[in-house]
Amino acid sequence: MGKASRQPLIVNGRRVDGRAPDELRPIRMEVGVLKNADGSALVEYGNTKILAAVYGPREALPKHVALADRAVLRCRYRMLSFSTEERKSPAPSRREIELSKVIREALEPAVMSELFPRTTIDIFIEVLNADGGTRTAGVTAAALALADAGIPMRDLVAGVAVGKVDGVLVLDINEIEDAYGEADMPVAAMPSLNRITLLQLNGVLTPDEFRQALALALHGIKKIYELQREALRRKYAVLTEE
């Protein structure tokens, strides 16, 4: 269906999935889901499901990748073959390689890598089911997995995507809104430090719309950040009691 012929995506102030424009999808988070990883997390934004695993810090191999003053953060983002409606090739796509870099750069300001020179920290992000916002949900899951691994961080990083749909700014876009909306703006931030670590824009927003969209994204990120903290509390409060 073309953009010109499609049905409206916002009717009577409600989106295709029944949400208000400023409403997040139902979000679920759990840490420590993988026994053999140093840290792991499962994050769901609606039907988007992301599994993240962290290994390290560990000796840098091959040795030529080591840095004398800090750890090397390595990130691999991958969409599993069954994660989309049409079966995806298992070979890494250009988009996956690009998003691996984008997510790594969003996480690097948070990780205190200077404490672990000549080591690597490996992050694996697996998209189990894709329904929009996979890069921002991936950032959120990876930050949780890093915290679960006990790696010192300046703050958690949380992410969400804002879109423009039928001329309306909407929070936490799904796949349909991403495909047929006029703009898509993924944002990630360290909320307690008021620092943005990821900001991209696909599409066109006026300067006024951009400011409103950024404020909307940061509003959503603060809510996601609290869910991250609660997921960590659930695990470690139980361990402390035991």
Side-chain angles (χ1 to χ4, degrees):
M1 113 177 133
K3 289 192 178 185
S5 61
R6 66 165 173 79
Q7 296 296 312
L9 295 180
I10 297 183
V11 178
N12 297 326
R14 291 284 166 178
R15 297 153 68 178
V16 288
D17 54 11
R19 287 183 289 153
D22 62 350
E23 190 176 345
L24 293 165
R25 289 176 283 183
I27 293 177
R28 174 176 172 260
M29 300 183 188
E30 186 178 353
V31 296
V33 295
L34 297 177
K35 178 183 177 182
N36 295 324
D38 294 318
S40 59
L42 177 65
V43 169
E44 300 178 5
Y45 285 23
N47 292 323
T48 289
K49 296 175 173 56
I50 308 284
L51 180 65
V54 168
Y55 299 86
R58 54 189 178 182
E59 182 186 2
L61 293 174
K63 289 187 179 297
H64 68 80
V65 304
L67 296 176
D69 61 340
R70 60 184 171 88
V72 175
L73 200 66
R74 299 190 294 200
C75 180
R76 190 196 70 182
Y77 164 99
R78 185 175 66 144
M79 298 184 74
L80 300 183
S81 297
F82 53 78
S83 64
T84 55
E85 287 188 6
E86 295 184 6
R87 182 183 180 277
K88 180 200 161 292
S89 166
S93 67
R94 289 181 62 184
R95 180 176 182 272
E96 287 170 309
I97 294 168
E98 175 196 350
L99 290 187
S100 296
K101 178 178 181 291
V102 165
I103 293 171
R104 173 178 58 78
E105 291 176 347
L107 294 167
E108 279 180 331
V111 177
M112 300 175 72
S113 57
E114 66 275 10
L115 300 179
F116 306 101
R118 301 187 184 281
T119 66
T120 57
I121 300 170
D122 292 296
I123 305 167
F124 297 90
I125 298 166
E126 309 286 341
V127 180
L128 306 179
N129 196 69
D131 187 30
T134 60
R135 83 187 66 187
T136 48
V139 168
T140 301
L144 268 181
L146 285 163
D148 184 47
I151 293 171
M153 300 171 71
R154 294 173 178 86
D155 194 11
L156 291 168
V157 183
V160 75
V162 172
K164 182 181 176 183
V165 176
D166 292 351
V168 178
L169 295 175
V170 296
L171 180 64
D172 188 19
I173 58 175
N174 60 30
E175 187 69 32
I176 293 174
E177 292 170 331
D178 188 14
Y180 297 105
E182 298 100 72
D184 163 27
M185 191 171 85
V187 182
M190 296 187 285
S192 70
L193 300 179
N194 292 316
R195 182 172 175 186
I196 292 170
T197 65
L198 165 65
L199 177 59
Q200 295 179 299
L201 174 59
N202 304 307
V204 178
L205 296 175
T206 67
D208 229 19
E209 286 173 335
F210 174 80
R211 285 188 286 270
Q212 292 174 37
L214 184 57
L216 184 59
L218 294 174
H219 171 72
I221 283 170
K222 287 178 182 176
K223 291 184 176 182
I224 294 166
Y225 179 69
E226 289 307 317
L227 293 173
Q228 287 177 306
R229 289 162 58 92
E230 180 57 33
L232 291 166
R233 274 194 294 265
R234 280 198 306 270
K235 177 180 178 181
Y236 291 102
V238 170
L239 291 178
T240 301
E241 289 170 6
E242 292 175 353

